[in-house]
Amino acid sequence: MKETKFVTKTTNFSKNLHIDLVKKMLVFDEVNSTNITAKELAQAGAEEGTVVIARKQHHGRGRFDRIWQSPDGGVYLSIILQPKKSTENISLLPLVAALTVARTITLYGLHTTIKWPNDVQVNGKKIAGILLESEIRGHEVIYVVVGIGINLNIDRKDLSADIQPRSTSMFHELGSPVDYHEFLRTFFMQFDRIYSLFVDHKFQRIIDEWKIQTDTLGKTICVQTSTETLQGIAFDIDQSGFLLLRKENGEIKKILSGDCLY
């Protein structure tokens, strides 16, 4: 199969990246899902810092197996991590990923907010989604795959009508396209810095910065988990990144993941 311009240019870019976290980058023109490909590689023994990146996904996924629409012009990648931490600590990795995306987009002059747990928004509209999948045996973390989709140079008309009203892209917000590979370089630099905090056990710094970035805390919200729907005031997150929700009757709920509605 003939190598596409995207694959050639991105492969050449990866050879000159020189960022500690990124050990190997596998570039595809199209895949079903970068997360699926990355999980297969992790299960086959791929090292930490292996990145799968694609121009398009045919079956990108979000939480609860929902479709993540992946037209040409977006950033679609998955990173394999193998943190030597307890299972308690890895629940902070969604915060690491969300902060990375938010920081990167902010450097382009856009004001970002994070809606718990890890939806990155600009002007109240979703601009990026994050999906983490892992394999854990007992208390040992075998791998964590961090999947990220960012609406970079996407025309919102290329998204389905049902999500257009609540979605945006950097192209739409800035009024001009963003250099794809320069954006990638900035993104990986930020990921390397924030993940280093995690590796160095500087968990409170991650939590504190996430609290500054989020617009969830202090709001009355509804959270749909895989088993129930909860409503109350989101008043804090704990040291493991769990959302603390105070229900109307005063009961406190700790929630690891779910869909958050304001």
Side-chain angles (χ1 to χ4, degrees):
M1 183 182 293
K2 184 179 178 181
E3 191 171 271
T4 67
K5 182 179 178 181
F6 172 85
V7 172
T8 301
K9 191 171 182 180
T10 306
T11 301
N12 290 337
F13 158 83
S14 70
K15 293 174 182 175
N16 297 294
L17 188 57
H18 308 307
I19 291 175
D20 290 343
L21 174 67
V22 182
K23 299 295 190 294
K24 184 177 184 179
M25 189 180 293
L26 302 174
V27 185
F28 300 90
D29 193 57
E30 301 181 30
V31 294
N32 278 337
S33 158
T34 59
N35 257 35
I36 290 174
T37 303
K39 283 198 298 181
E40 290 171 350
L41 290 166
Q43 290 161 2
E47 65 179 330
E48 178 172 74
T50 299
V51 176
V52 175
I53 191 164
R55 181 179 64 87
K56 291 177 68 175
Q57 297 182 110
H58 295 296
H59 301 290
R61 293 177 299 123
R63 285 191 301 275
F64 303 128
D65 259 349
R66 284 194 293 265
I67 294 171
W68 177 264
Q69 295 180 24
S70 310
D72 199 3
V75 171
Y76 313 114
L77 61 85
S78 297
I79 305 170
I80 297 173
L81 302 178
Q82 294 163 338
K84 303 296 186 278
K85 305 285 181 226
S86 73
T87 53
E88 178 184 5
N89 296 127
I90 67 165
S91 56
L92 289 173
L93 286 176
L95 279 63
V96 169
L99 282 173
T100 298
V101 175
R103 263 195 196 182
T104 304
I105 293 173
T106 298
L107 290 172
Y108 283 81
L110 296 174
H111 176 65
T112 59
T113 55
I114 300 171
K115 184 171 80 166
W116 181 87
N118 49 24
D119 285 347
V120 180
Q121 303 178 123
V122 172
N123 291 324
K125 295 183 177 181
K126 188 169 178 176
I127 200 167
I130 296 163
L131 178 66
L132 280 78
E133 300 181 279
S134 60
E135 182 177 340
I136 296 168
R137 295 175 194 158
H139 294 289
E140 182 184 5
V141 181
I142 307 303
Y143 66 81
V144 178
V145 169
V146 181
I148 293 173
I150 303 170
N151 295 341
L152 191 69
N153 295 321
I154 289 176
D155 188 326
R156 291 197 304 173
K157 294 194 295 289
D158 292 334
L159 300 173
S160 64
D162 61 318
I163 70 167
Q164 282 182 29
R166 59 182 189 273
S167 301
T168 192
S169 69
M170 291 185 67
F171 173 77
H172 178 82
E173 297 295 331
L174 294 170
S176 59
V178 176
D179 183 283
Y180 179 90
H181 293 96
E182 194 52 48
F183 182 87
L184 278 188
R185 183 181 302 279
T186 305
F187 169 84
F188 286 124
M189 287 174 63
Q190 294 301 320
F191 203 116
D192 189 55
R193 290 169 183 167
I194 300 173
Y195 185 58
S196 292
L197 295 176
F198 179 84
V199 171
D200 293 339
H201 295 80
K202 295 177 180 177
F203 305 131
Q204 193 59 49
R205 282 184 59 184
I206 294 170
I207 291 167
D208 289 345
E209 185 168 347
W210 187 92
K211 287 182 180 181
I212 291 170
Q213 289 276 356
T214 189
D215 66 348
T216 298
L217 299 184
K219 281 188 168 72
T220 298
I221 65 170
C222 180
V223 178
Q224 177 67 56
T225 73
S226 58
T227 58
E228 60 183 336
T229 301
L230 300 166
Q231 185 167 321
I233 296 174
F235 69 92
D236 206 354
I237 58 171
D238 68 9
Q239 295 302 300
S240 298
F242 284 61
L243 181 70
L244 301 181
L245 186 80
R246 181 181 291 110
K247 296 173 65 177
E248 194 173 50
N249 63 4
E251 181 185 2
I252 304 298
K253 285 283 191 176
K254 291 175 60 172
I255 310 170
L256 174 60
S257 65
D259 275 348
C260 174
L261 298 174
Y262 296 165

